[in-house]
Amino acid sequence: MPSPRLPRRRLAGPLAAALALLAAVSGGAAAAPAATAAATDAPAAAGAAGLREVMFVGNNWDGTADVIESRGDFRRLARVNVIPDRDERMREIHLDPIRLAFFLGVRSGPGEGHDQFVDDMYATPDGSAMVVSRPSFADVVSVDLRTGRINWRFAVAGYRSDHMAVSPDGTRVAVSASTADTVHVLDIATGRQLGSFKTGSKPHENVFTADGLLWNMSIGEVTTALDAPWLDWTKGDRKITVVDANTFRTVRVIDMRDRLDAFGRGDLSDAVRPLVFTPDEKKLYFQVSFFNGFLEYDVATDRITRLKTLPGNPKTDPDRTTWVNDSRHHGLSMSPDGTRLCVAGTMDDYATVVDRDSLKEGPLVEASKPYWATVSGDGKSCVISESGADRVTAIDFATGQRVATVDVGDHPQRVRLAHVPADWTGPAAR
């Protein structure tokens, strides 16, 4: 049964004030990031031919990840506990007043009254482990898929970890340290930090591109009730930071405020949420805070070229402070041939497929607080997480209709394609 949903109000009152003071005192920094070595009895790497394609679904409030089929009926195959070290982490947090304050802040703010135990996850290239960012524990861990034990742990700078991305060759993982305005890039096999770079306020989405770049989108402060358009200046320094994926040196900074103003939409937020590139990486499509739709950006000319406004749900509360973490729509994917976009209309409780040429939307598929959109293994479907109903739904790119739904754990968010050993049936019982 889905757990009761708490009111979607923002962090306010004494706790918010305490966290603001702590952030000011700490300057966004915390203990130096550290990777912790773990068990030495990791299984031998599986050969590429011995892998099976699946999808990982992160159940944020559960602290679990469901593993489901990547196509067809998307049935659930197994469930992985991604917080086997919960007791140890909680002892550490309760012994540190500052960490405890931020832990409670994550619960009361972005967690909507719940702890955030899994934000993002990927598989290692050999399929032996699941690498997971855990916001409430401010870390990234590698969980052995055979034993369920932790291989390594990396504590991020600051007090919260967030979205991740994996390099095209699968060997590196980038993770946003949202309270430290930093992105760490780690060796996915060992957890060793390979480099890091500074970002705008509250780094969020990360995307590696084929031209050797790593893009980070900072979304600013999204947990306050200062959501009126005239208070937009309180949200922080929001920008896209593009770095060389090998040297981590900044090669480009894109301030969407200037581009939105030039496009004639100074009324829109410049907090870039999920985005997706076309297959040739010449254009990107992105969502922004508070907006029911998306925009098109031409990379070479550095211009916003088109905008699509999608229908609003008449039942959506117009009070922007009730929208989860400043989201209106949060979740965007593209069909492999680049002809269709799939949009998660989070606060409007639907998802829809949009023709990229005409920008005409298809049927509005009812969904409960859809919070992510990705592409199935065969490329035929858009897969969304319905965080309000604890399920994952597949929508056919060609017809725009729902083709499958599968129940998962509490509050699913990120959904990622992955590979596991062909004979894998779940972690061993302990």
Side-chain angles (χ1 to χ4, degrees):
M1 292 289 292
S3 62
R5 304 299 179 203
L6 299 182
R8 294 168 176 166
R9 293 287 169 183
R10 298 302 170 83
L11 182 63
L15 181 56
L19 288 173
L21 177 60
L22 285 170
V25 171
S26 66
T36 304
T40 58
D41 57 349
L51 297 180
R52 173 185 186 179
E53 184 185 76
V54 296
M55 279 183 154
F56 291 165
V57 181
N59 303 313
N60 195 11
W61 297 346
D62 262 359
T64 63
D66 281 314
V67 181
I68 65 174
E69 296 277 14
S70 65
R71 60 189 75 191
D73 62 3
F74 297 89
R75 68 185 179 90
R76 188 166 73 87
L77 303 171
R79 178 167 289 173
V80 179
N81 174 18
V82 302
I83 51 172
D85 58 339
R86 178 176 181 168
D87 290 346
E88 181 181 357
R89 301 281 81 81
M90 291 304 299
R91 280 195 297 271
E92 293 173 350
I93 288 168
H94 282 97
L95 290 172
D96 185 332
I98 295 178
R99 286 188 65 187
L100 178 59
F102 275 93
F103 177 86
L104 295 174
V106 171
R107 178 185 293 174
S108 300
E112 303 173 72
H114 300 261
D115 298 322
Q116 291 192 308
F117 289 132
V118 48
D119 186 277
D120 215 341
M121 72 255 107
Y122 287 93
T124 54
D126 63 8
S128 67
M130 176 187 293
V131 176
V132 185
S133 61
R134 308 187 299 181
S136 288
F137 290 160
D139 64 11
V140 183
V141 294
S142 170
V143 179
D144 188 295
L145 287 172
R146 295 284 193 190
T147 67
R149 296 177 181 143
I150 291 178
N151 295 317
W152 55 257
R153 173 176 181 261
F154 180 90
V156 303
Y159 299 96
R160 186 177 182 274
S161 54
D162 200 44
H163 285 231
M164 299 198 300
V166 164
S167 59
D169 65 2
T171 63
R172 294 168 293 155
V173 60
V175 58
S176 289
S178 58
T179 68
D181 299 347
T182 297
V183 171
H184 303 283
V185 182
L186 313 177
D187 182 298
I188 201 169
T190 66
R192 180 175 64 89
Q193 178 169 276
L194 303 174
S196 66
F197 60 94
K198 300 302 288 186
T199 68
S201 303
K202 298 294 190 297
H204 190 56
E205 180 80 333
N206 296 290
V207 178
F208 283 93
T209 49
D211 55 0
L213 300 177
L214 172 55
W215 296 57
N216 174 266
M217 281 52 69
S218 60
I219 59 172
E221 183 54 67
V222 298
T223 59
T224 71
L226 304 177
D227 292 343
W230 70 274
L231 291 171
D232 187 70
W233 61 273
T234 68
K235 297 292 185 178
D237 180 21
R238 294 156 295 182
K239 58 191 177 186
I240 297 176
T241 303
V242 187
V243 303
D244 183 293
N246 293 308
T247 66
F248 313 112
R249 293 178 180 171
T250 300
V251 298
R252 187 176 181 186
V253 175
I254 303 170
D255 183 349
M256 280 298 178
R257 176 77 280 136
D258 297 338
R259 282 72 173 171
L260 286 163
D261 291 347
F263 186 69
R265 291 307 302 262
D267 59 311
L268 292 181
S269 169
D270 61 350
V272 176
R273 311 305 289 259
L275 62 75
V276 62
F277 283 86
T278 53
D280 61 9
E281 297 182 349
K282 292 183 178 180
K283 293 185 184 295
L284 65 83
Y285 296 82
F286 66 97
Q287 296 165 314
V288 297
S289 291
F290 305 117
F291 179 55
N292 50 308
F294 58 86
L295 299 103
E296 177 188 78
Y297 172 81
D298 185 277
V299 176
T301 64
D302 191 22
R303 293 173 51 246
I304 293 173
T305 47
R306 292 193 295 173
L307 172 147
K308 171 63 177 180
T309 303
L310 286 164
N313 187 334
K315 296 180 180 179
T316 298
D317 190 336
D319 179 1
R320 296 183 3 158
T321 67
T322 66
W323 299 354
V324 177
N325 299 328
D326 291 358
S327 300
R328 178 73 185 263
H329 287 185
H330 188 284
L332 196 62
S333 65
M334 184 179 294
S335 59
D337 63 3
T339 63
R340 293 176 175 85
L341 291 155
C342 178
V343 184
T346 308
M347 301 310 303
D348 292 307
D349 287 334
Y350 69 77
T352 189
V353 173
V354 177
D355 180 87
R356 192 167 73 87
D357 183 38
S358 67
L359 295 188
K360 179 177 175 58
E361 73 268 15
L364 303 185
V365 179
E366 184 177 351
S368 181
K369 203 173 78 169
Y371 215 77
W372 196 247
T374 191
V375 180
S376 62
D378 58 12
K380 295 180 180 179
S381 300
C382 164
V383 181
I384 61 169
S385 59
E386 294 193 56
S387 63
D390 299 340
R391 63 192 181 198
V392 168
T393 288
I395 299 169
D396 187 273
F397 272 118
T399 66
Q401 300 289 345
R402 184 192 310 264
V403 293
T405 295
V406 58
D407 291 335
V408 292
D410 196 4
H411 204 73
Q413 289 190 287
R414 230 63 63 224
V415 183
R416 301 291 191 186
L417 276 173
H419 289 85
V420 299
D423 63 348
W424 184 79
T425 57
R430 295 175 59 191

